[in-house]
Amino acid sequence: MAVEEEGLRVFQSVKIKIGEAKNIPPYPGPNKMRDCYCTVNLDQEEVFRTKIVEKSLCPFYGEDFYCEIPRSFRHLSFYIFDRDVFRRDSSIGKVAVKKEDLQKYHGKDTWFQLQPVSADSEVQGKVHLELRLSEVITDSGVISHKLATRVLECQGLPIVNGQCDPYAAVSLLGPSRSEAKKTKVKRKTNNPQFEEVFYFEVTRPLSYTKRQFDVEEEDVDKLALRVDLWNASNLKFGDEFLGGVRVPLRVLGQAGVHDAWYFLQPRENGGKSVKVDELGSLRLNIVYTEDHVFPSEHYTPLRDLLLHSANVEPVSASTAHTLGEVCREKQEAAIPLVRLFLHYGKIVPFISAIAHAEINRTQDPNTIFRGNSLTSKCIDETMKLAGMHYLQVTLKPIIDEICTEHKPCEIDPVKLKESENLETNRENLRHYVDRIFNVITTSGVRCPTVMCDIFFSLRESAATRFQVDQDVRYTAVSSFIFLRFFAPAILSPNLFHLRPHHPDPATSRTLTLISKTIQTLGSLAKSKSANFKESYMAAFYDYFNEQKYADAVKNFLDLISTSGKWDQKSIETPIMLKEGFMIKRAQGRNRFGMKNFKKRWFRLTNHEFTYHRTKGEGALCSIPIENILAVERLEEESFKMKNMFQVIQPERALYIQANNCVEARDWIDILTKVSQCNRKRLSTYHPSAYLNGHWLCCKLSADTAPGCTPCTGYIKLLTSAQLHIPVLCFRSLSFHARFVFFSGLPANIQLDVDGDRETERIYSLFSTYMTKLIKMQEACGSKSVYDGPEQEEYSTFVIDDPQETYKTLKQIISAVQTLEQQHTKYKRDKFKKTKIGSQEHPIGDKSFQCYIRQQSESSTYSI
């Protein structure tokens, strides 16, 4: 979900690797060990939690987390907690990285010292203040001044222990001043509207005769206004501090008026005095990305160059291949390229072209696709996107069983525990390997069409290039489906969404042994025992030295490398898109039923949206996808609850509260996109609830009244003309078939790709590596005029046709420079229009001040 900014869409995302913590302070008891977990927070809002690592002061997490960030934030924070069975979990320490500092740690493994957690330092939100100083002449003729302080509102206050009942305390600070005044408490809201005014008398020296107020000559410049926000608590520990601001009265100036938004700040000297190294440290790798995406027409020149890549002869002279040549890592180029080509249904011809070129450059069939080439990385990324559901239905049940049963499978005599039996362990491992091998080799009919088409192309190219080698048509495919798809998913199931967290060490070892065996079984190597360095693995593999295993692999590879269109069965099979616990409000299906809030397990497939009392139970309610007319956010004031959204149906709306802002955004996005093809989608909706006989937003009394606000979240779909199929044919497709028609992808693939955003990211990469583009141009010129040995500085580039490559490079540079000019103009215009102290850029927003400093230095606007 993007934020609209003057014609641009702004996307924020973060990818985090949570490595390990070390030197956590011991528990003050005889055991001394702790059961620790780590949370990821946007300011004070938790958006992710790792597994609990028990009995360790140096817990290893090894977990990855990615999310789109749906709102503004000031800090990305990480908290280490110690689980307590009988009381609330206690916080050990935290790492808080300011938004403006994220770029310093971009993509680097970094050890951060844990800092103490103090209620006085845990702040977020902003406050709107208006100060006015007026001159008053008393009956005795003495001139005095009154300071009128108006506390208008706050936004984004933290929720403390599940509730927020805020009030503001206002005081004037100065010599011999201690007066303080309070607003009324606003219940159940973290966006309170106060609209209260407080007056403070500012006295003058007797010698004061000037009519004009002059801050410089009076003691007023020593005064400051302090506004603190508190959460009114019923607990015995008193009210909780939410944040405060200190405004020196000198800001009033000659006019005597000041109106501004302020970011709330921590209380001075709020934290406890703790030595930096006493709390331990945490290893993190953070990649924060911010994309500013223009309207689609701005990307037409670059997008056309990219999408034409498969038709360029030779393909090494194409725009997409050039991106892979100039990027430092092929993976950088592969991710946006694959997503772009998937979005426009051109992934198969593109991968076929670059794979064919790579195979023709390969001299030995045994080394085919062994390097980290652009082809390998693009196929990896395509399998990861297109094959996610395929992995779920194939491997998830058996992986869940392995992680739950905890059967001993160690077959290395050196690592064997005293209580374990080697033969029993071998039998356990052989049982798991057999079952996984069988589910893989019998899953060919479920392999996504787009993957089958790619494998068919690889097989044909390899067989044509190496006609003497009869096995190359198998090894070309197995090197991807086994080595780069199934084996990594077995080894690290959490990275492929097969498990929520990294497995425990014993289970991880079992999965490693299974992955090694499956990888070797799929390789069809002539001497498989020689593939293992460890003698115990070679001995274990003797169990599988039977022809039936090789035959099963070949039959499977034959099936998945046969080109063919999707069939109706694959379309009608429900595909699980998302599931999890949320809180829902009763829909009022029973006339006299209670409309209360209950926690339920929600499940979304490409067929229906259901909720259940708990996971695994039957559905309490089922909403067919075609009955979803709109999915929109619900204003917080409706029920005084955050992160709420509504699923609008023909008869009623289902109100749901997600656990955090990231989860709410994910659910809204996937529900909106999966229902996008519905013919009866609404164009307007009610942003607030229908309560007490009327809509809170427009005050209309009829519950069937049409919406008062335009619907958001529409995505651009390819038309039948863009798909090159007859309109009547396209319209005749069933609801579910329309999703699969795009490149033969499962329903959840086409949904998450924004073509303009991917093109913007590709522009950003070209801009970052502009010096390499110019050097590549020089290499083309050198090759054109010099026919001798290749110069060393140009040897890293693959240039088969210097003239055609030079022509492409010239077009790329022209398109990139045009986009760069548009970004520069946007930044310049935004800088001119920005007002410090506005709601968008409150005073204290260091990230915006950082932007002001950098805007003249940076040539791109993608971090």
Side-chain angles (χ1 to χ4, degrees):
M1 185 176 294
V3 178
E4 295 285 343
E5 245 183 46
E6 298 180 10
L8 270 79
R9 292 177 299 140
V10 182
F11 296 88
Q12 302 176 100
S13 62
V14 66
K15 183 180 179 182
I16 302 164
K17 289 181 182 291
I18 304 173
E20 59 188 309
K22 66 179 182 181
N23 301 328
I24 299 294
Y27 185 78
N31 185 19
K32 298 191 180 299
M33 293 291 106
R34 293 182 183 268
D35 301 337
C36 296
Y37 61 90
C38 178
T39 68
V40 180
N41 295 54
L42 291 175
D43 296 319
Q44 299 303 302
E45 184 178 13
E46 181 182 322
V47 295
F48 178 72
R49 180 180 294 198
T50 68
K51 63 178 180 182
I52 297 172
V53 178
E54 298 181 341
K55 299 177 182 178
S56 175
L57 299 180
C58 296
F60 175 80
Y61 299 108
E63 300 207 26
D64 289 39
F65 171 66
Y66 172 86
C67 77
E68 298 282 335
I69 301 175
R71 62 171 177 83
S72 59
F73 68 100
R74 293 164 66 188
H75 293 88
L76 182 64
S77 303
F78 305 84
Y79 291 80
I80 299 291
F81 285 91
D82 183 18
R83 179 183 61 180
D84 194 313
V85 177
F86 302 105
R87 294 175 296 177
R88 181 180 298 162
D89 297 347
S90 57
S91 57
I92 296 171
K94 70 172 182 179
V95 172
V97 185
K98 295 177 182 176
K99 181 180 178 181
E100 60 267 27
D101 292 337
L102 287 171
Q103 197 175 4
K104 290 195 295 189
Y105 308 108
H106 187 87
K108 303 172 185 173
D109 266 7
T110 307
W111 282 98
F112 293 90
Q113 292 293 335
L114 291 174
Q115 303 297 323
V117 178
S118 163
D120 291 331
S121 64
E122 304 296 290
V123 304
Q124 71 177 56
K126 52 191 175 184
V127 60
H128 187 190
L129 302 175
E130 183 184 298
L131 279 60
R132 189 177 297 272
L133 194 70
S134 56
E135 192 175 87
V136 179
I137 302 177
T138 63
D139 295 338
S140 59
V142 176
I143 299 174
S144 67
H145 287 75
K146 277 194 175 180
L147 176 67
T149 302
R150 186 178 174 204
V151 183
L152 289 95
E153 61 178 310
C154 290
Q155 287 187 356
L157 297 179
I159 295 175
V160 181
N161 300 328
Q163 57 103 33
C164 188
D165 298 329
Y167 69 87
V170 185
S171 55
L172 191 62
L173 307 177
S176 68
R177 287 186 181 273
S178 60
E179 49 196 316
K181 302 176 181 182
K182 296 179 181 180
T183 68
K184 294 177 182 176
V185 175
K186 299 294 180 179
R187 298 289 177 186
K188 296 183 179 180
T189 177
N190 67 337
N191 297 314
Q193 303 277 335
F194 292 112
E195 293 288 351
E196 294 193 39
V197 182
F198 302 100
Y199 295 94
F200 299 92
E201 188 172 325
V202 180
T203 56
R204 290 290 172 193
L206 294 175
S207 60
Y208 179 76
T209 56
K210 294 186 180 180
R211 297 289 299 170
Q212 186 177 11
F213 174 62
D214 189 345
V215 174
E216 298 300 325
E217 294 185 11
E218 304 298 335
D219 64 348
V220 178
D221 65 341
K222 297 178 183 178
L223 299 178
L225 188 78
R226 177 85 194 180
V227 180
D228 290 330
L229 274 298
W230 295 84
N231 180 43
S233 174
N234 296 322
L235 301 176
K236 62 181 179 180
F237 302 108
D239 297 346
E240 292 103 345
F241 178 73
L242 300 179
V245 294
R246 185 179 184 277
V247 184
L249 293 197
R250 66 172 66 94
V251 300
L252 292 163
Q254 294 279 338
V257 177
H258 178 66
D259 185 342
W261 283 83
Y262 282 83
F263 270 127
L264 297 176
Q265 304 295 336
R267 191 153 49 176
E268 295 174 5
N269 301 320
K272 299 176 183 177
S273 178
V274 179
K275 290 183 181 179
V276 174
D277 57 352
E278 283 186 358
L279 297 177
S281 54
L282 180 65
R283 180 167 61 85
L284 301 167
N285 187 306
I286 305 171
V287 177
Y288 171 73
T289 307
E290 196 171 286
D291 299 313
H292 285 56
V293 181
F294 288 109
S296 188
E297 60 270 16
H298 289 72
Y299 298 103
T300 301
L302 181 57
R303 183 173 57 242
D304 288 349
L305 284 172
L306 288 161
L307 295 178
H308 186 61
S309 293
N311 302 321
V312 174
E313 287 289 345
V315 73
S316 60
S318 68
T319 302
H321 193 278
T322 301
L323 181 66
E325 289 298 296
V326 298
C327 284
R328 186 179 61 223
E329 301 287 342
K330 302 294 184 188
Q331 185 77 1
E332 280 184 294
I335 292 173
L337 284 175
V338 165
R339 293 174 70 84
L340 181 73
F341 283 113
L342 272 174
H343 181 70
Y344 287 100
K346 297 196 173 186
I347 190 66
V348 175
F350 170 64
I351 288 182
S352 297
I354 59 174
H356 183 72
E358 182 174 333
I359 289 170
N360 286 341
R361 286 193 293 269
T362 305
Q363 301 303 316
D364 183 354
N366 293 316
T367 62
I368 195 167
F369 298 127
R370 289 301 168 90
N372 287 323
S373 63
L374 181 65
T375 306
S376 299
K377 292 298 182 184
C378 283
I379 297 176
D380 287 353
E381 192 63 27
T382 303
M383 291 192 301
K384 198 176 289 185
L385 285 170
M388 195 57 68
H389 174 67
Y390 179 38
L391 276 180
Q392 291 274 336
V393 296
T394 305
L395 289 184
K396 185 169 172 54
I398 180 64
I399 294 292
D400 285 342
E401 191 176 315
I402 293 169
C403 293
T404 305
E405 288 182 342
H406 299 291
K407 286 185 179 179
C409 295
E410 182 55 71
I411 58 172
D412 182 355
V414 177
K415 296 180 180 179
L416 204 66
K417 295 179 181 176
E418 289 184 10
S419 59
E420 294 177 356
N421 179 275
L422 185 59
E423 285 306 314
T424 302
N425 287 9
R426 279 178 178 163
E427 186 56 36
N428 290 340
L429 184 60
R430 184 171 63 172
H431 173 70
Y432 283 146
V433 170
D434 259 329
R435 288 186 60 192
I436 287 185
F437 179 80
N438 286 331
V439 297
I440 289 174
T441 53
T442 57
S443 69
V445 292
R446 292 193 296 269
C447 186
T449 304
V450 67
M451 289 171 60
C452 292
D453 288 345
I454 289 170
F455 295 150
F456 173 76
S457 175
L458 298 182
R459 174 182 174 143
E460 293 298 299
S461 293
T464 303
R465 174 75 173 89
F466 302 103
Q467 297 181 14
V468 177
D469 192 325
Q470 294 299 309
D471 285 335
V472 73
R473 68 183 189 274
Y474 294 117
T475 55
V477 177
S478 67
S479 63
F480 286 104
I481 194 70
F482 281 101
L483 183 66
R484 296 172 178 265
F485 186 61
F486 284 122
I490 296 166
L491 184 65
S492 304
N494 56 306
L495 300 183
F496 290 81
H497 307 292
L498 298 177
R499 293 290 294 173
H501 300 295
H502 186 73
D504 62 80
T507 305
S508 185
R509 173 64 176 164
T510 297
L511 294 174
T512 300
L513 296 172
I514 295 171
S515 179
K516 280 184 175 183
T517 312
I518 292 294
Q519 183 176 316
T520 307
L521 278 167
S523 68
L524 294 172
K526 305 253 185 328
S527 175
K528 297 183 179 180
S529 297
N531 286 355
F532 297 108
K533 297 176 184 176
E534 310 92 341
S535 58
Y536 62 86
M537 282 300 297
F540 173 71
Y541 195 80
D542 285 340
Y543 288 125
F544 305 97
N545 265 331
E546 296 180 32
Q547 189 59 36
K548 67 176 184 178
Y549 290 101
D551 291 343
V553 169
K554 287 184 177 181
N555 290 336
F556 170 67
L557 295 176
D558 280 334
L559 184 59
I560 66 170
S561 57
T562 301
S563 181
K565 298 299 180 185
W566 48 268
D567 58 30
Q568 191 66 21
K569 283 186 179 179
S570 66
I571 295 170
E572 298 305 332
T573 302
I575 298 174
M576 203 281 289
L577 302 178
K578 189 171 176 63
E579 59 184 349
F581 277 112
M582 291 188 289
I583 295 172
K584 66 95 187 175
R585 182 178 185 263
Q587 301 179 72
R589 289 177 292 164
N590 298 325
R591 186 174 179 182
F592 301 105
M594 291 284 291
K595 293 186 178 180
N596 53 0
F597 289 88
K598 291 183 179 178
K599 189 175 182 179
R600 292 289 183 253
W601 179 263
F602 285 81
R603 193 169 188 270
L604 174 66
T605 71
N606 57 325
H607 287 192
E608 60 183 355
F609 181 48
T610 60
Y611 62 78
H612 315 246
R613 195 177 305 279
T614 188
K615 185 178 181 180
E617 288 192 6
L620 297 173
C621 175
S622 172
I623 303 171
I625 295 300
E626 44 265 53
N627 283 0
I628 297 177
L629 307 184
V631 184
E632 298 288 345
R633 290 190 179 277
L634 188 70
E635 288 184 354
E636 182 183 334
E637 293 306 310
S638 295
F639 300 106
K640 305 290 184 184
M641 296 168 70
K642 289 177 67 68
N643 303 319
M644 289 203 70
F645 63 94
Q646 51 185 318
V647 179
I648 303 171
Q649 308 160 66
E651 301 295 329
R652 63 186 65 85
L654 173 62
Y655 299 132
I656 303 172
Q657 184 188 34
N659 295 314
N660 55 62
C661 66
V662 170
E663 208 170 275
R665 177 253 179 212
D666 287 347
W667 276 107
I668 292 171
D669 266 11
I670 193 71
L671 281 163
T672 298
K673 291 169 182 174
V674 81
S675 61
Q676 195 66 52
C677 287
N678 291 351
R679 295 183 177 91
K680 296 182 181 179
R681 277 187 64 85
L682 298 177
S683 57
T684 59
Y685 78 107
H686 292 283
S688 292
Y690 183 82
L691 294 173
N692 302 322
H694 68 275
W695 293 101
L696 298 181
C697 42
C698 57
K699 308 305 180 187
L700 292 176
S701 57
D703 60 354
T704 57
C708 57
T709 303
C711 284
T712 58
Y714 279 97
I715 61 171
K716 184 178 179 182
L717 286 178
L718 297 178
T719 65
S720 58
Q722 290 169 304
L723 288 167
H724 306 293
I725 60 173
V727 174
L728 290 176
C729 175
F730 182 69
R731 287 178 179 169
S732 68
L733 291 176
S734 69
F735 171 80
H736 306 297
R738 294 189 190 189
F739 284 111
V740 187
F741 201 94
F742 299 99
S743 304
L745 296 175
N748 56 338
I749 305 306
Q750 196 72 25
L751 304 179
D752 292 331
V753 179
D754 184 313
D756 294 336
R757 185 181 183 185
E758 301 309 324
T759 311
E760 166 64 25
R761 287 186 166 181
I762 291 170
Y763 147 74
S764 181
L765 288 170
F766 274 133
S767 184
T768 300
Y769 294 108
M770 181 59 74
T771 53
K772 279 196 173 183
L773 284 173
I774 294 170
K775 185 168 280 190
M776 200 170 175
Q777 270 191 323
E778 295 171 358
C780 290
S782 174
K783 282 198 169 197
S784 296
V785 300
Y786 179 64
D787 201 25
E790 191 170 28
Q791 296 183 42
E792 188 176 346
E793 62 175 321
Y794 302 142
S795 62
T796 56
F797 300 121
V798 175
I799 301 174
D800 296 320
D801 186 330
Q803 285 81 14
E804 192 66 30
T805 305
Y806 186 89
K807 177 184 169 184
T808 299
L809 286 164
K810 188 176 179 181
Q811 292 172 318
I812 293 170
I813 292 170
S814 173
V816 169
Q817 287 175 342
T818 301
L819 278 168
E820 201 157 315
Q821 290 168 3
Q822 291 164 350
H823 276 289
T824 303
K825 181 179 182 300
Y826 162 75
K827 288 186 288 185
R828 187 168 56 243
D829 292 346
K830 182 179 178 181
F831 175 69
K832 289 177 182 177
K833 294 175 184 177
T834 298
K835 177 188 173 185
I836 301 294
S838 65
Q839 186 174 354
E840 294 76 21
H841 303 289
I843 295 171
D845 183 357
K846 295 181 181 177
S847 61
F848 178 71
Q849 294 165 6
C850 176
Y851 161 71
I852 292 176
R853 289 196 304 271
Q854 293 179 348
Q855 63 92 28
S856 59
E857 303 169 9
S858 175
S859 60
T860 71
Y861 202 71
S862 274
I863 298 178

